[in-house]
Amino acid sequence: MLEIKCLEVCHGWVQALRGLSFQVVRGEMLAVLGLNGAGKSTLLGALAGLYKIKKGDILLDGESLSGKPPHQIVKLGISLVPERREIFNSLTVIDNLLLGAYHRYRYKKNEVIIDVVKIMDLFPALRGKENHPAGTLSGGLQQMLAIGRGLMARPRLLLLDEPSVGLAPLVTREIMTTLAELKKTGVTIILVEQNTAAALKVADRALVMERGGIVMSGKPRDMMENSRVQQACLGRTRAVQPAAAL
Amino acid sequence: MDLSSQLLQLLFSGLTLGSIYSLIALALVATYNITGVLNLAQGEFVALGALLAASIYAAGLPLAAAFLVSVALIAALGALIERSVIYPARESSALTLIIITVGLSISLRGLALLVWGTEPVSLPAFSSGGPLLLGGAFVNPQTLWILGMAAATTSGLYIFFELTYTGKAVRACVINRTAALLIGINPGTISLLAFAGSGAIGAAAGIFITPVTLATYDMGFMLGVKGFVAAAIGGMHNIRGAVLGGFILGILEVYSAGLISSGLKDAVALIVLLAALMLRPEGLLAISGRKV
């Protein structure tokens, strides 16, 4: 479904991605792990069209995304839920969700309204807060809203950048459970996480990034016990304790 | 005329002037928040709208048609400027963009001087009849037209931003441009809409005041400055603040000119700007972190 070929992205003089290549198959959840500055968020930004590609290409079902602006990439079926949520604080929860379907609202209004109901079913904690300004929600609810807004675009590929950051373990577990439910519906997901244990528990496959490149990839079960993963993701050599982390 | 009638008379004049400043400030704030460009050529839209309407009317078209054609043409000019000058420089620094709009302002004023010359032009009042006596003050009917137009424009914008899907998409761009990009909003389209809209608002304001003040090629400069002061008083991120700032400035100007000295009129704007920047630089109605 998604093919990344020798991807290179620079932030000014700094090369953030160094010849990255990998594929994602339809319906898969891929966890991208690594320490701060490894290039994980840059990878998602490049997929969403926020950063210019210096070299290489990104193919979505065979179509190149190189040079396409973010609003066109959303139309093609890639939706990014950014780190820090980036919701529209002074707009209501409902408005945030409706705007998530910006590219199809005018033509498929009824379908969009049905989708809002589905999002509310997916995140029942948002019920009763439809008309609240989004900025007044708790961090966990804002994260749910951000994911819901991303889903309103009906993406083929959902990109999640650190959805657990700043959240209580209980809320993190709720969000990860929802992501696992989402995966069952066939949505392809790339999950960037620093909470290695949480990500490995729900992902089908994981890759580890370091200094803009991929240093390892494989099945979550194999990664759990791998000391190289601990070094790359936690900066120390200690096995991940899945039960404790979630 | 006793003092209370005189004060009421001045209040009506202040509200009239304030409503024009409010409209200019409103267009300035909306454009700034949507595009990140502080358009210092906003006052020129006012002047060109008025001058163009006067020429169209002089050519024989009815006043209403002159109004509509002029507003449409200045909106198109706003869109043309955005596409040809602002959009290509959208990645430049804020200072560069401001300098570009200063250059635009000078160019448009020069163009107006070439086309219309230095002589003032006029439009007839929108309705016939002499001044109305309201609570002891004489009010020019055109004043009521200006107040009505300002109220209608502000209400229309309020409805657009609060109740329509496109308006909320525009607000989304103002609140968080990156997030707006990520949900598929094309900021280029919104920027085009902002410049066209500010052109239309400026032109409408210019046409409504021309029967009272006449129109000249250089009228836009001071109006643009006053609009900026009004926006700074109310807060550059707040449309309601811009409207309030316009009325405060208009009323203060008229009272200081009427009660102290007419020479103080323009000085008041700068004194108020300094006071606002020193005492409440974020604006009167600014709420921390809240935009629009």
Side-chain angles (χ1 to χ4, degrees), chain A:
Chain A
M1 179 198 194
L2 180 76
E3 189 177 3
I4 293 174
K5 291 178 175 174
C6 304
L7 186 66
E8 289 189 18
V9 172
C10 289
H11 296 313
W13 294 102
V14 180
Q15 187 158 6
L17 297 181
R18 300 164 186 271
L20 226 61
S21 294
F22 65 90
Q23 292 185 353
V24 182
V25 298
R26 195 175 305 282
E28 183 183 29
M29 188 192 292
L30 174 73
V32 179
L33 311 171
L35 288 172
N36 275 338
K40 308 182 302 291
S41 294
T42 302
L43 168 65
L44 295 194
L47 286 169
L50 291 177
Y51 304 123
K52 277 183 187 164
I53 295 170
K54 187 186 168 197
K55 271 188 189 170
D57 205 352
I58 301 169
L59 302 172
L60 181 70
D61 289 328
E63 185 175 352
S64 173
L65 303 182
S66 185
K68 287 195 165 57
H71 64 273
Q72 275 184 26
I73 289 178
V74 175
K75 277 186 192 168
L76 289 173
I78 294 184
S79 187
L80 168 62
V81 180
E83 196 183 349
R84 298 186 305 276
R85 295 128 203 172
E86 310 277 12
I87 54 169
F88 304 119
N89 285 327
S90 55
L91 295 179
T92 64
V93 168
I94 282 287
D95 287 339
N96 268 272
L97 290 175
L98 290 175
L99 284 170
Y102 183 76
H103 66 280
R104 61 192 174 98
Y105 181 81
R106 280 189 194 82
Y107 317 106
K108 295 175 177 174
K109 202 170 174 177
N110 291 337
E111 186 185 282
V112 169
I113 289 164
I114 291 167
D115 283 356
V116 169
V117 176
K118 285 181 186 169
I119 297 296
M120 289 293 176
D121 290 340
L122 194 64
F123 297 110
L126 290 174
R127 283 202 185 282
K129 297 181 168 57
E130 291 88 343
N131 294 314
H132 289 209
T136 63
L137 300 180
S138 67
L141 289 181
Q142 287 190 10
Q143 187 62 65
M144 292 173 195
L145 177 61
I147 296 171
R149 190 184 66 187
L151 289 170
M152 284 297 295
R154 285 202 172 178
R156 283 187 280 171
L157 175 61
L158 182 67
L159 312 174
L160 294 154
D161 196 356
E162 310 260 12
S164 76
V165 75
L167 300 183
L170 203 65
V171 182
T172 301
R173 186 162 58 189
E174 194 180 338
I175 285 175
M176 291 299 169
T177 306
T178 309
L179 293 183
E181 290 296 316
L182 262 180
K183 189 168 73 82
K184 286 180 194 163
T185 65
V187 179
T188 310
I189 299 172
I190 297 182
L191 171 65
V192 160
E193 258 302 339
Q194 286 205 46
N195 187 338
T196 308
L200 290 177
K201 191 161 187 183
V202 292
D204 299 309
R205 192 161 61 90
L207 54 86
V208 179
M209 288 183 69
E210 215 175 69
R211 295 182 193 142
I214 297 170
V215 290
M216 196 181 300
S217 68
K219 293 282 177 192
R221 191 181 301 171
D222 304 330
M223 294 262 192
M224 292 268 193
E225 304 301 325
N226 192 313
S227 62
R228 182 82 179 88
V229 175
Q230 311 314 311
Q231 183 66 38
C233 300
L234 302 172
R236 61 188 179 196
T237 50
R238 185 175 64 81
V240 175
Q241 301 296 319
L246 272 179

